[in-house]
Amino acid sequence: MSNRTNSGFFSDLYSKVSDNWAILASVGYIYLTATGMLQSYLQLKAFNINVFDFAELNDFLLAAFREPLAIIAGMGMIVYVLIVGGISYANLKKKGITPRYTAWSFQLMLWFALIASPFISPLVAHTSLYGKSWVKKVVEDKSRLVCISLRTAKGNDERQLNDLTFIGSTEKFLFFYNHEENNTLTIPIQNIIVITSKPNKSFQPTAESGG
């Protein structure tokens, strides 16, 4: 093992990152998936929808990017911990404190902070974003109403749903708040023919583009 006694905090950190980049990439994937899972869960839980009944694992990875605030908060905490850790590490070396116990405890504290803080920040961010104010906004704001034409279970019959507000999605399902009946709707994407926003814009999620 190479002697790194006199190396700095960030050079030590860089060495560890370069030696374990594959593990860190896996941790990053898990982090984004967990952040997206948290985001989707809190967003739909506000309307008593359990996203785990409708989602697949890749849904959560994509969900992390729908609300960048959580990722920014998590990355910001990592930068903060690294800065504080670097300053603390430098102060320890200036005081000549280099016992094995001190180094071990310092590294344990640093890695715990790097793991815990990125998850705590998105939790706080999502809790504030998707609380009672989020539900109130969806229920009262009717500026983004849409209408949906969908196929029924009987086959080729069509059904029209009006005055809906989009609240979330997974790869196979869309979730809406129904202002007419004051409830939530979970609609399979494959059953949707067309989504029309008022007054006249439309979107066909399953239709093939024609030429």
Side-chain angles (χ1 to χ4, degrees):
M1 182 179 295
S2 61
N3 186 359
R4 296 175 181 169
T5 304
N6 297 321
S7 60
F9 169 76
F10 289 104
S11 60
D12 286 349
L13 183 64
Y14 176 78
S15 298
K16 290 182 179 180
V17 170
S18 60
D19 291 342
N20 301 280
W21 64 269
I23 296 176
L24 292 176
S26 300
V27 171
Y29 177 87
I30 295 172
Y31 170 69
L32 289 176
T33 301
T35 304
M37 187 181 299
L38 178 65
Q39 188 263 345
S40 297
Y41 174 74
L42 292 176
Q43 181 184 21
L44 296 176
K45 180 179 179 293
F47 288 92
N48 296 318
I49 299 173
N50 186 358
V51 67
F52 299 110
D53 291 335
F54 306 98
E56 299 177 359
L57 190 61
N58 59 314
D59 288 317
F60 299 126
L61 179 62
L62 297 175
F65 296 97
R66 293 176 188 165
E67 184 50 66
L69 176 61
I71 297 179
I72 294 174
M75 295 299 102
M77 286 302 298
I78 290 178
V79 172
Y80 173 76
V81 169
L82 288 177
I83 292 174
V84 173
I87 295 173
S88 301
Y89 189 86
N91 289 335
L92 286 175
K93 282 201 167 185
K94 285 182 180 180
K95 295 177 180 179
I97 302 176
T98 55
R100 177 179 295 274
Y101 175 77
T102 302
W104 176 84
S105 61
F106 175 80
Q107 291 186 19
L108 179 63
M109 176 201 70
L110 176 65
W111 286 111
F112 175 79
L114 287 175
I115 293 172
S117 59
F119 288 100
I120 295 174
S121 298
L123 176 61
V124 174
H126 287 315
T127 302
S128 61
L129 283 173
Y130 300 115
K132 293 182 179 179
S133 59
W134 154 250
V135 176
K136 183 178 179 180
K137 180 180 179 181
V138 171
V139 173
E140 296 181 355
D141 184 9
K142 297 185 179 181
S143 62
R144 299 181 180 181
L145 295 180
V146 298
C147 302
I148 296 180
S149 297
L150 68 149
R151 301 178 185 88
T152 65
K154 296 181 180 179
N156 295 326
D157 295 340
E158 294 185 12
R159 180 185 177 189
Q160 183 78 16
L161 298 175
N162 300 308
D163 295 337
L164 306 178
T165 295
F166 174 78
I167 56 176
S169 68
T170 63
E171 183 178 356
K172 297 181 179 179
F173 296 91
L174 298 181
F175 306 97
F176 296 90
Y177 179 78
N178 188 340
H179 291 274
E180 290 185 345
E181 300 181 6
N182 296 321
N183 59 8
T184 56
L185 298 175
T186 301
I187 303 177
I189 292 179
Q190 65 180 4
N191 289 0
I192 297 176
I193 300 173
V194 62
I195 300 176
T196 305
S197 63
K198 293 183 178 181
N200 55 10
K201 295 181 180 179
S202 64
F203 168 61
Q204 295 176 298
T206 57
E208 296 180 358
S209 57

